[in-house]
Amino acid sequence: MTLDDLFRLQEVGDPQVSPDGQWVAYTLSTIDTAADKRLTDIWMVSWDGSQDIRLTYGVDTSANSPRWSPDGKYLSFESERPGKAKGTQLWVLDRRGGEARQLTDVKGNLSAYAWSPDGKKLLLTIRADDEADKKDDKDKKEEKPKPIVIDRYHFKQDVQGYLSGANRALLYLYDIDTRKLDKLTNDTLHDESNAVWSPDGSSITYVSNHDPDWDRTINSDVFVVPASPNSAPKKLTTFNGEDGGRLAWSPDSKWIAYGQGSDPKYMEYNLNQLAIVSADGTAPRILTAKLDRSISAPRFSPDGKTIVVLVEDDRSEYPLAVNVDDGAVRRLIQEPGVATAHNSADGHDALVWTTDAAPGEVFAFDDGKLRQLTTHNKALLAQLKLGASRDLNATGKDGTEVHGLLTLPPDAESGKKYPMLLRIHGGPNSQDAHSFSTERQLFAARGYAVLNVNYRGSGGRGKTYSQAIFADWGNHEVADLLACVDEAVKEGFADPDRLGVGGWSYGGILTDYTIASSTRFKAAISGAGMGNPISFYGVDQYIHQYDNELQPPWKSPETYIKLGYPLYHADRIHTPTLFMGGDKDFNVPLVGGEQMYQALRSLSVPTELIIYPGQFHGFTRPSFIRDRYDRYFNWYDKWVLGKTPPPPPPAPSPTKTS
């Protein structure tokens, strides 16, 4: 696999089964390298897999969020394509044929929608534009910049930037025939999200935080409201933490399924339990208290007796059936893999399913078996020789069992030791799983073994395992990472004299901790990381975590000093390290990499700092993604393998300007 192959991969998502169960609409994202952007279009595949039809043809704009009308005659989607109103609007395709027509012309930021059961109305989630957003491009260019006035506790968020506006995301009813827009609830002070119609059309459930000082808490709750304008909502849950996620109604419109989170102080190590609450306010009931795994995306079975959820479990994520009466669980897919999305209608279930050897495609889930419906990446995969991934387990010095994945180069020889890269996932509450990883395959194709470790703090191993690093970053994680490296060396896969390490986000943070704890790695790459949390207080988007997990600096300065050991003990670092980040990143701001770069430069340790203009925490510009991989390859090849890096590209020739 090469970088050119990376940009030929197509990303399948958001499957939506038609009401009659005969079609599955879905999104397909591709990369336009000439335009240097990603575009998404809507497709649909027949249930028997015989027909796969492209429905939209975006050139400059994408189409997202396909949804069927209740009678199955229409397919709607979100798009910013030119029309009667600016910004994201809803468009609709008639299944009998013809061009898509614009369905809404609302003002503000439209972020979600749903058809009413009778197909006559739409439930819209809209945040009104702030004054600065209302001006057209010409006005914005001519207008002098104004100060940004901040008066919120949580005032920064990646991609969104500074949170200075007072407008909230609110729910509206949109009459399709009259185009009349009405506010659903009588509340305008709190964000309203994740709204779902009841099957009988009489009510709507949604998620909101109504705490008096809501900006300081994560105490979301489930609400229900009559499906008519200006109605008074009723709060159904009382847990002092996150109640919400994707909501689901029972077929008889009596029960609502949702996810109940962990104690708020463990927000970054959250484990969602499946819960149900009656629409009339009967006390909620936890169904998966004994599961000790995080669930998401609940869906009631047609008979209402079971709820199917997606479960994150030790290197896989699969659908699980939960009995409503007694909470008994049944795993529905046994083989390793990851379900990234799930949808059902008329007794038909569709998944996007991915494995180590194949990117996600739409699958039907029939009689307990997966049946592939789409094959967008089949031709590309037929041309590629991939590295095989296997489970790797280790036991740390304190007896902790740690699970990881090891990917070897294509055509790996038995008994041969390979240069190995320890690539650390972010989160930390996520996991490396048996899903297709372009990073693993790109490194494997260049002759590296790739080790991914689900260190303590990761998801998929239960509450105790995830919360073990609470206010103690870099300690248990580094021990777990090194234990798996030792195991890979012991089993004869890795050459102990040719090891590299790296990661992005919390993976970058752990890279800094690891090279401050061990000198065994020949090279490191720290992307969007940091080595000194005191410098991030009030600078990134995690103010709730600092105040609740670490405590404010004036209350617990010793905690920040302890967690800042990569910077305070930078003189222990001798590993050549490449630091990277986007200059618009408010998740893990660039200052974290800048500080560590400056420290190593001051200590004369080989280092570079790469800054990507206009990029947030997750990169979106394909040319920058390619550049980042090129720099990964060159840095590891130089310091791990001892290869001479290629010369930099020539500077562009000067051009005349008028």
Side-chain angles (χ1 to χ4, degrees):
M1 187 174 182
T2 68
L3 281 177
D4 288 337
D5 298 321
L6 172 65
F7 298 111
R8 294 167 62 196
L9 283 168
Q10 302 179 72
E11 184 177 327
V12 175
D14 200 6
Q16 297 291 318
V17 183
S18 63
D20 61 8
Q22 298 306 303
W23 293 88
V24 183
Y26 62 96
T27 59
L28 185 70
S29 296
T30 58
I31 292 175
D32 184 338
T33 54
D36 203 15
K37 64 181 180 181
R38 178 179 288 274
L39 290 171
T40 302
D41 280 297
I42 308 298
W43 290 60
M44 69 176 186
V45 61
S46 59
W47 188 250
D48 63 7
S50 62
Q51 301 178 70
D52 197 8
I53 304 169
R54 182 175 179 176
L55 299 177
T56 68
Y57 291 81
V59 177
D60 298 316
T61 57
S62 292
N64 292 284
S65 304
R67 299 293 183 267
W68 297 95
S69 62
D71 58 10
K73 294 180 179 179
Y74 300 95
L75 185 63
S76 56
F77 59 91
E78 296 178 3
S79 181
E80 292 186 2
R81 57 178 59 185
K84 298 177 183 178
K86 291 184 177 181
T88 299
Q89 300 292 335
L90 298 185
W91 296 71
V92 65
L93 285 162
D94 190 323
R95 289 185 65 186
R96 293 168 295 185
E99 296 284 344
R101 62 181 176 86
Q102 189 172 331
L103 194 57
T104 65
D105 54 0
V106 299
K107 296 179 180 179
N109 179 21
L110 173 63
S111 59
Y113 75 101
W115 290 82
S116 63
D118 62 8
K120 296 180 179 180
K121 294 183 178 181
L122 294 169
L123 176 61
L124 308 180
T125 305
I126 304 172
R127 182 185 67 83
D129 288 331
D130 296 320
E131 287 303 315
D133 298 327
K134 294 179 181 178
K135 301 180 182 297
D136 60 31
D137 293 337
K138 182 179 179 181
D139 290 337
K140 289 180 182 178
K141 290 178 181 178
E142 295 177 351
E143 184 182 44
K144 294 180 180 179
K146 295 180 180 180
I148 300 173
V149 179
I150 301 293
D151 62 357
R152 287 185 56 175
Y153 170 77
H154 175 205
F155 70 95
K156 300 181 81 171
Q157 192 70 27
D158 195 36
V159 182
Q160 297 179 49
Y162 289 104
L163 306 179
S164 59
N167 294 321
R168 305 285 167 249
L170 303 173
L171 298 176
Y172 293 85
L173 295 172
Y174 183 82
D175 189 284
I176 294 175
D177 289 336
T178 66
R179 295 181 176 267
K180 184 181 180 184
L181 186 70
D182 291 306
K183 178 74 176 67
L184 172 63
T185 75
N186 58 11
D187 174 35
T188 59
L189 301 178
H190 307 95
D191 287 318
E192 301 168 335
S193 64
N194 300 19
V196 184
W197 293 87
S198 62
D200 63 10
S202 66
S203 302
I204 292 167
T205 184
Y206 66 95
V207 178
S208 187
N209 180 344
H210 281 205
D211 281 3
D213 198 355
W214 57 267
D215 201 29
R216 289 179 175 268
T217 76
I218 60 166
N219 183 31
S220 58
D221 283 296
V222 178
F223 289 75
V224 68
V225 62
S228 56
N230 200 37
S231 295
K234 178 180 181 180
K235 189 171 79 164
L236 299 179
T237 59
T238 58
F239 172 66
N240 184 31
E242 291 183 287
D243 287 322
R246 185 193 179 279
L247 308 180
W249 286 91
S250 60
D252 60 7
S253 298
K254 293 182 178 180
W255 296 92
I256 301 164
Y258 65 97
Q260 182 179 104
S262 303
D263 185 302
K265 71 179 182 179
Y266 294 115
M267 60 179 295
E268 294 303 326
Y269 318 100
N270 187 54
L271 188 149
N272 275 326
Q273 300 179 93
L274 176 63
I276 59 172
V277 63
S278 171
D280 65 10
T282 302
R285 184 161 57 95
I286 303 295
L287 299 183
T288 58
K290 297 179 181 180
L291 181 62
D292 198 26
R293 291 293 185 270
S294 192
I295 65 91
S296 63
R299 290 185 178 277
F300 274 91
S301 61
D303 61 9
K305 295 181 179 180
T306 60
I307 301 172
V308 175
V309 294
L310 297 182
V311 174
E312 185 183 47
D313 182 19
D314 193 13
R315 294 168 285 195
S316 286
E317 187 165 357
Y318 50 80
L320 185 87
V322 183
N323 187 284
V324 173
D325 289 335
D326 59 11
V329 300
R330 179 168 54 91
R331 180 171 176 169
L332 299 181
I333 297 177
Q334 303 301 321
E335 60 260 38
V338 171
T340 61
H342 171 225
N343 188 255
S344 61
D346 194 42
H348 292 66
D349 287 81
L351 300 168
V352 172
W353 182 255
T354 173
T355 64
D356 294 314
E361 297 281 2
V362 178
F363 283 75
F365 187 56
D366 283 329
D367 298 323
K369 296 180 180 180
L370 288 167
R371 177 169 55 85
Q372 189 167 347
L373 297 181
T374 66
T375 56
H376 288 284
N377 292 292
K378 181 179 180 180
L380 175 59
L381 290 175
Q383 302 171 26
L384 301 181
K385 187 176 292 184
L386 300 176
S389 298
R390 67 185 69 196
D391 288 346
L392 184 141
N393 300 333
T395 301
K397 293 180 180 179
D398 64 357
T400 299
E401 184 176 323
V402 186
H403 296 171
L405 294 167
L406 181 68
T407 303
L408 296 178
D411 294 331
E413 300 175 19
S414 178
K416 182 177 179 179
K417 296 180 180 180
Y418 291 92
M420 187 177 76
L421 303 179
L422 169 63
R423 294 294 299 176
I424 311 170
H425 72 71
N429 191 22
S430 63
Q431 65 167 352
D432 283 309
H434 287 291
S435 58
F436 190 80
S437 168
T438 54
E439 180 178 284
R440 291 178 207 158
Q441 295 300 334
L442 286 168
F443 283 131
R446 296 180 69 87
Y448 292 99
V450 183
L451 177 63
N452 302 117
V453 178
N454 290 325
Y455 50 83
R456 272 171 283 185
S458 301
R461 292 286 303 282
K463 181 183 295 186
T464 300
Y465 192 87
S466 177
Q467 296 176 359
I469 68 170
F470 182 83
D472 189 20
W473 307 346
N475 178 17
H476 297 305
E477 305 99 298
V478 172
D480 295 346
L481 293 169
L482 296 181
C484 284
V485 171
D486 289 340
E487 185 64 26
V489 171
K490 177 184 174 183
E491 293 186 22
F493 298 116
D495 182 345
D497 296 322
R498 293 187 295 170
L499 300 175
V501 63
W504 197 266
S505 191
Y506 199 73
I509 293 172
L510 286 185
T511 297
D512 295 346
Y513 280 120
T514 301
I515 59 177
S517 305
S518 172
T519 58
R520 69 191 304 178
F521 298 97
K522 302 300 183 183
I525 300 177
S526 177
M530 68 96 188
N532 183 26
I534 188 70
S535 64
F536 270 39
Y537 185 89
V539 175
D540 64 19
Q541 65 187 31
Y542 296 102
I543 187 59
H544 291 97
Q545 183 179 16
Y546 289 111
D547 279 355
N548 292 282
E549 180 179 346
L550 305 186
Q551 299 299 303
W554 53 91
K555 288 186 178 182
S556 186
E558 66 282 355
T559 298
Y560 288 84
I561 296 295
K562 180 184 73 170
L563 299 187
Y565 79 76
L567 182 66
Y568 297 130
H569 297 291
D571 55 345
R572 300 177 182 176
I573 299 175
H574 302 285
T575 306
T577 305
L578 177 64
F579 296 97
M580 296 178 147
D583 69 350
K584 299 299 184 184
D585 189 345
F586 275 10
N587 187 319
V588 185
L590 186 62
V591 63
E594 290 174 331
Q595 284 189 322
M596 291 301 298
Y597 163 78
Q598 188 67 71
L600 296 199
R601 177 59 66 188
S602 297
L603 291 164
S604 298
V605 176
T607 185
E608 287 183 10
L609 172 66
I610 312 299
I611 301 168
Y612 291 93
Q615 295 301 286
F616 302 113
H617 194 62
F619 284 14
T620 56
R621 186 181 288 274
S623 60
F624 281 163
I625 295 172
R626 175 185 284 272
D627 182 90
R628 181 170 59 180
Y629 269 116
D630 275 329
R631 294 181 188 277
Y632 284 173
F633 299 155
N634 293 339
W635 193 261
Y636 285 134
D637 286 356
K638 176 181 179 179
W639 295 105
V640 176
L641 303 183
K643 293 183 178 180
T644 302
S653 302
T655 57
K656 294 181 180 181
T657 57
S658 57

